[in-house]
Amino acid sequence: MSVRHTWAVREGRTTTTWFDVRWTFADGARVDALAALSGDGVRVEDVHAEPGLSLDDLSVLAEWLESPLFEVCAPARGDHPGGAPRRARPAWPRGREGRRLVAEEYRAAREEGGDPVLAVMRATGHSRRRSLRLIGQARDDGFLTPRRARR
C-alpha cells in the first residue's frame, strides 16, 4: 500500500487533509482511493478498483484506510505554542548511505507513478530545494542515471 499526501485545507483550528491511496495486490488487483482525514475520522471521496469492489468491501473501505492514514500523518503529540503540533524530522543517514537511500526512494516513487521529489521530501523531512540537491548528489555518486548529457 502506498499513501501520498495531496493537499490540506485549514479552517480555523480544523485541518482537513486529502491523500491518494493505492493498494496493489499480488494477483494484479488494484484499488485507488482519495481519502480525507479530518479530526478523528476518515472519509472516502473517490474510489477506483480493478476488479470492482463488492458493496460489503466498499462499506468497510474507510476502516481499512484509517490505520495507514493515521500512521502517515499523525503529528507528534504535545502542546506547543500556537496549538500547532511539531513534527520531528525523521532520522536520515548522512553521506553516501543517505544518498543511496535517496536514490531508492526516488526510484520507488517513479515505479509507482508518484512524484519522486515529493517522496524524497517525505522520507528525509527536508525542503524541496534540499531534496533536489540530495537527488543531484545521488546522481553524481552514480546511484541514479544522469539527468541530461554533459557537454
Side-chain angles (χ1 to χ4, degrees):
M1 170 188 281
S2 68
V3 178
R4 194 176 84 221
H5 180 268
T6 48
W7 71 90
V9 174
R10 182 179 302 243
E11 185 176 341
R13 292 183 174 244
T14 304
T15 301
T16 302
T17 308
W18 283 264
F19 295 88
D20 284 326
V21 181
R22 173 173 282 175
W23 272 305
T24 305
F25 298 93
D27 63 357
R30 189 176 85 206
V31 176
D32 292 319
L34 177 64
L37 179 65
S38 179
D40 293 329
V42 174
R43 242 182 10 251
V44 179
E45 297 200 353
D46 189 26
V47 177
H48 297 278
E50 290 289 328
L53 294 173
S54 69
L55 287 176
D56 291 334
D57 290 341
L58 197 56
S59 67
V60 295
L61 186 60
E63 293 173 22
W64 292 347
L65 293 173
E66 192 168 27
S67 178
L69 287 177
F70 278 119
E71 287 176 16
V72 167
C73 68
R77 298 292 179 207
D79 294 314
H80 296 284
R86 295 178 49 119
R87 293 185 193 180
R89 178 174 287 151
W92 196 261
R94 294 178 178 247
R96 190 166 174 82
E97 178 64 16
R99 291 187 294 272
R100 184 186 62 76
L101 292 173
V102 162
E104 287 178 9
E105 289 289 335
Y106 185 93
R107 282 192 300 271
R110 294 277 312 249
E111 289 171 4
E112 292 176 2
D115 182 348
V117 178
L118 189 59
V120 171
M121 289 171 61
R122 258 193 256 106
T124 63
H126 288 297
S127 68
R128 183 171 190 85
R129 181 175 292 194
R130 177 70 178 132
S131 295
L132 287 168
R133 187 177 300 136
L134 288 170
I135 291 167
Q137 291 169 352
R139 287 186 196 287
D140 292 343
D141 280 359
F143 293 121
L144 294 170
T145 59
R147 185 71 175 161
R148 56 185 80 77
R150 300 197 183 226
R151 296 179 184 214

